[in-house]
Amino acid sequence: MKKIELDHVDFSYGENLVLKDISLSVHQGEIVSIIGPSGVGKTTLFNLIAGILPAQAGKILVDGEENPRGKVSYMLQKDLLLEHKTILGNVILPLTIRGVKKAEAIRQADDLLAAFGLQDVRDRYPHELSGGMRQRIALLRTYLFGQDLFLLDEAFSALDELTKMTLHDWYLAIHEQLKLTTILITHSIDEAIKLSNRIYVLNHKPGQIVAELTMDWQEADQPELEKVRYKEEILGLLGLKNW
């Protein structure tokens, strides 16, 4: 089942065509990455999928209905945790915005924090946590906005490599446990290959989808070599020798 579909979407800023004929789809339960170099229109595409910008041509459908506004939970590179609130206060924020009574919001937040082994930090403040822990909290807060379609924009890029690797594994686990569907916009080829079921490669100006790749490296006899092959293929599609 298609959770979201973009059908021949164009977008311009005035006379400047930024995205051209973008068609892609993400099925329920998938993690799909959109990868491309800087300046190719990834941020504009993020804003279109999030419903922040309206499609000027073509259609964007979520669960078969047009207009994704309010149907996508999205998260940016910066965690945007409120420093004056405790972790619990940050996590219950989406619930209180949705009108959930405080006692019920706390119960739901506590259940979620406990399910992912984060209950020990509920009464701490964001500045007391590591970058990786802050990002975990931000992801759980995003989930409580109530949409199972996640849109992540460079959500792991600010972390050091070891933290990022740990968080990738954690996200794969919660993605399955919470039955999410994820679109990941990233410039990291390694990240896209590790996390994704499929990858769309965005290139050129105006930005266009130049390839769709299915990741099946885990089934290969030599998975690490297969990942290298995918990386070389993506670099070739982007016209790059080094990333």
Side-chain angles (χ1 to χ4, degrees):
M1 173 185 171
K2 290 181 181 178
K3 183 68 178 177
I4 185 168
E5 181 177 11
L6 278 68
D7 184 22
H8 300 290
V9 171
D10 293 349
F11 193 87
S12 301
Y13 293 105
E15 300 282 327
N16 181 27
L17 182 62
V18 177
L19 294 171
K20 179 180 179 181
D21 198 30
I22 301 295
S23 292
L24 60 87
S25 62
V26 182
H27 291 82
Q28 183 76 42
E30 279 192 306
I31 299 178
V32 171
S33 288
I34 300 169
I35 190 165
S38 297
V40 78
K42 296 194 303 296
T43 298
T44 299
L45 186 54
F46 175 95
N47 289 333
L48 286 164
I49 294 171
I52 298 168
L53 293 174
Q56 296 170 341
K59 295 180 180 180
I60 302 176
L61 305 173
V62 178
D63 292 327
E65 297 181 359
E66 286 194 62
N67 185 10
R69 190 175 183 86
K71 301 173 185 174
V72 180
S73 293
Y74 55 88
M75 180 175 157
L76 306 174
Q77 176 179 339
K78 188 171 175 57
D79 59 59
L80 300 179
L81 296 178
L82 300 178
E83 298 295 339
H84 66 285
K85 288 185 176 290
T86 64
I87 297 310
L88 178 64
N90 271 279
V91 173
I92 67 172
L93 185 61
L95 297 172
T96 56
I97 290 172
R98 291 164 52 198
V100 177
K101 291 183 178 180
K102 186 174 181 179
E104 175 60 18
I106 291 173
R107 186 194 66 76
Q108 289 187 36
D110 277 337
D111 286 348
L112 191 63
L113 289 168
F116 293 99
L118 298 170
Q119 67 270 34
D120 290 345
V121 302
R122 79 186 290 276
D123 297 319
R124 295 169 69 180
Y125 286 86
H127 71 270
E128 300 179 85
L129 304 186
S130 67
M133 188 67 75
R134 289 175 64 112
Q135 212 71 346
R136 285 174 167 86
I137 298 300
L139 284 161
L140 293 185
R141 184 181 65 178
T142 300
Y143 172 72
L144 288 176
F145 275 103
Q147 305 299 330
D148 61 1
L149 175 56
F150 266 34
L151 175 59
L152 307 181
D153 185 17
E154 306 286 3
F156 309 108
S157 62
L159 305 172
D160 64 80
E161 285 304 310
L162 289 177
T163 302
K164 189 184 299 185
M165 290 169 61
T166 301
L167 199 57
H168 285 164
D169 291 335
W170 182 83
Y171 188 73
L172 287 171
I174 72 160
H175 182 272
E176 181 176 359
Q177 187 168 341
L178 298 177
K179 302 185 186 309
L180 303 177
T181 302
T182 299
I183 302 172
L184 173 64
I185 295 178
T186 181
H187 68 273
S188 170
I189 296 176
D190 292 328
E191 179 173 86
I193 291 171
K194 177 173 182 178
L195 293 179
S196 306
N197 301 108
R198 289 182 296 118
I199 296 173
Y200 287 99
V201 182
L202 185 69
N203 203 10
H204 306 317
K205 293 185 179 181
Q208 301 170 61
I209 300 294
V210 297
E212 175 191 351
L213 305 175
T214 299
M215 297 292 101
D216 54 8
W217 54 267
Q218 290 177 321
E219 285 74 45
D221 292 335
Q222 296 179 296
E224 293 304 315
L225 287 178
E226 189 67 4
K227 286 164 71 174
V228 171
R229 186 190 69 77
Y230 277 123
K231 186 170 184 176
E232 290 175 346
E233 183 176 1
I234 293 169
L235 287 170
L237 288 164
L238 295 171
L240 300 171
K241 292 183 180 180
N242 297 297
W243 189 251

